[in-house]
Amino acid sequence: MSVPLRQQLAVGSYLIKQKLKGAKKYPLVLMLEPLFRCNLACAGCGKIDYPDDILDKRLSVQECLDAVDECGAPMVSIPGGEPLIHKEMPQIVEGIVARKKFVYLCTNALLLRKRINDYTPSPYLTFSVHLDGSKDRHDASVCQEGVFDIAVEAIKLALSKGFRVTVNCTLFQGETPEEVAEFLDYAMELGVEGVTIAPGFSYERAPKQDVFIKGADVKNLFRGIFKIGKNRKWKLNHSSLYLDFLAGNQSYNCTPWGNPTRNVFGWQKPCYLLADEGNAGSFQELLDTTPWEKYGTVKNPKCANCMAHCGYEATAVEDTLANPLKALWASIRGPKTSGDMVVEPVPQFSEGVKPSIADIPVKIES
């Protein structure tokens, strides 16, 4: 795990406090979306397919800071859209850092060179740069040539100025373990602090639905990646048990309240990934009124293929707290890459829940 000791201690202290208080549902990372507008139109994105009146909406500085205070999570991830488009983003970040919360400012990096002097290096601020693999793979993913090179130059610039920098990598159909391993080697050569890596979620609003990798294919891909990486010093920004889960060795339910989302509509039910399930007016209302029992891989077809870290990293952290020796062993040996995988749970989808387009089987006859 690549997280600095200062952050590990702060998050660990927060988790212990929650346990001592007897909290059953508590946030680990606030997903703060101050806007949906972006300067790219990626094939697998589910955030930009809104009318202009929605894309033009912005959360104010005060609304963002109120959400941070209301939620209380020790870490704040600011995705989008593209956050650097927001004219008041430097003030938002400054206010969060002043609260000693750890901010991951997610960006495609197209504007980073232009805006970087608006920010001050801090142990509480990390630029999380979106790179979906090597040059050809990434540029195809974002549907625009040249973006990979711009992002890499921005990473080098940010590192030279003393900023913490990580890479956020989403995997889609067609990836091979060898390609991903080569990319992770390259990311380490760049000198980034770590890499967040996860399979893409099949957003209903995504322009293309045939790009998402699902089920056993995900687990086999990650087993292949981790097998290659046994003797390589990759810094992956995840808990050891989440990585073991990706490789098909842990049976987890998601913990959607672990990464609550505040966006231009309010507090999104139930999570960052499902956009049409309603919204709450406050974080407490989100906790109290969301029908959590309706969601999860066996409960809802919209969730059936999800293995995203925003749903399962919090589960892995809970498992780590409950079973520290298991987590330590997984950290020492790395994810298991051979043998049987955990048994897939049998779906028990609720009546009246409509499947997404991505879940409708297609039969092709010759």
Side-chain angles (χ1 to χ4, degrees), residues 193-361:
E193 182 177 290
V195 177
T196 300
I197 188 168
F201 177 79
S202 53
Y203 290 100
E204 289 182 289
R205 290 179 172 271
K208 295 183 66 177
Q209 289 293 322
D210 60 353
V211 298
F212 301 106
I213 184 171
K214 301 175 182 179
D217 289 343
V218 174
K219 298 168 186 177
N220 285 319
L221 173 61
F222 276 96
R223 281 200 171 190
I225 294 168
F226 296 144
K227 186 174 183 178
I228 294 172
K230 285 288 186 182
N231 298 313
R232 304 192 189 185
K233 298 185 181 300
W234 295 336
K235 299 175 183 177
L236 301 180
N237 206 18
H238 296 290
S239 67
S240 60
L241 288 180
Y242 175 69
L243 297 176
D244 212 37
F245 165 71
L246 290 177
N249 303 317
Q250 302 295 331
S251 179
Y252 286 153
N253 294 315
C254 76
T255 304
W257 56 83
N259 286 47
T261 297
R262 172 66 164 99
N263 59 32
V264 297
F265 296 126
W267 291 88
Q268 182 173 308
K269 299 180 180 181
C271 70
Y272 174 72
L273 299 172
L274 298 185
D276 299 317
E277 302 295 306
N279 300 280
S282 68
F283 176 61
Q284 192 59 50
E285 182 185 334
L286 176 76
L287 291 181
D288 294 341
T289 65
T290 303
W292 304 109
E293 70 281 357
K294 286 177 53 179
Y295 302 102
T297 53
V298 299
K299 298 291 185 66
N300 195 311
K302 292 182 179 181
C303 307
N305 294 296
C306 181
M307 297 181 73
H309 53 86
C310 63
Y312 290 92
E313 186 66 82
T315 308
V317 169
E318 279 286 306
D319 195 15
T320 298
L321 293 173
N323 301 283
L325 293 180
K326 180 175 79 167
L328 177 62
W329 176 238
S331 178
I332 292 172
R333 67 165 168 79
K336 184 166 70 76
T337 58
S338 61
D340 293 337
M341 295 183 185
V342 293
V343 178
E344 293 286 342
V346 178
Q348 300 172 348
F349 297 144
S350 301
E351 293 183 5
V353 178
K354 296 180 179 179
S356 67
I357 294 174
D359 295 308
I360 300 175

Side-chain angles (χ1 to χ4, degrees), residues 55-91:
L55 294 177
D56 288 339
K57 286 182 178 292
R58 306 285 187 271
L59 291 182
S60 69
V61 175
Q62 193 59 54
E63 286 175 316
C64 289
L65 297 182
D66 286 347
V68 172
D69 293 338
E70 185 181 353
C71 176
M75 295 177 285
V76 180
S77 177
I78 307 181
E82 171 51 51
L84 296 187
I85 292 176
H86 199 304
K87 293 181 179 178
E88 295 179 307
M89 188 52 60
Q91 290 76 33

Side-chain angles (χ1 to χ4, degrees), residues 80-136:
E82 171 51 51
L84 296 187
I85 292 176
H86 199 304
K87 293 181 179 178
E88 295 179 307
M89 188 52 60
Q91 290 76 33
I92 294 170
V93 169
E94 182 180 12
I96 300 173
V97 168
R99 287 162 168 74
K100 294 188 176 181
K101 306 288 187 179
F102 294 92
V103 188
Y104 285 84
L105 184 53
C106 305
T107 176
N108 58 38
L110 291 180
L111 293 172
L112 188 53
R113 176 175 290 276
K114 180 179 179 181
R115 302 284 168 80
I116 196 165
N117 290 329
D118 295 336
Y119 300 90
T120 302
S122 166
Y124 292 96
L125 170 60
T126 302
F127 285 113
S128 178
V129 178
H130 183 74
L131 283 181
D132 287 341
S134 60
K135 180 177 179 177
D136 291 344

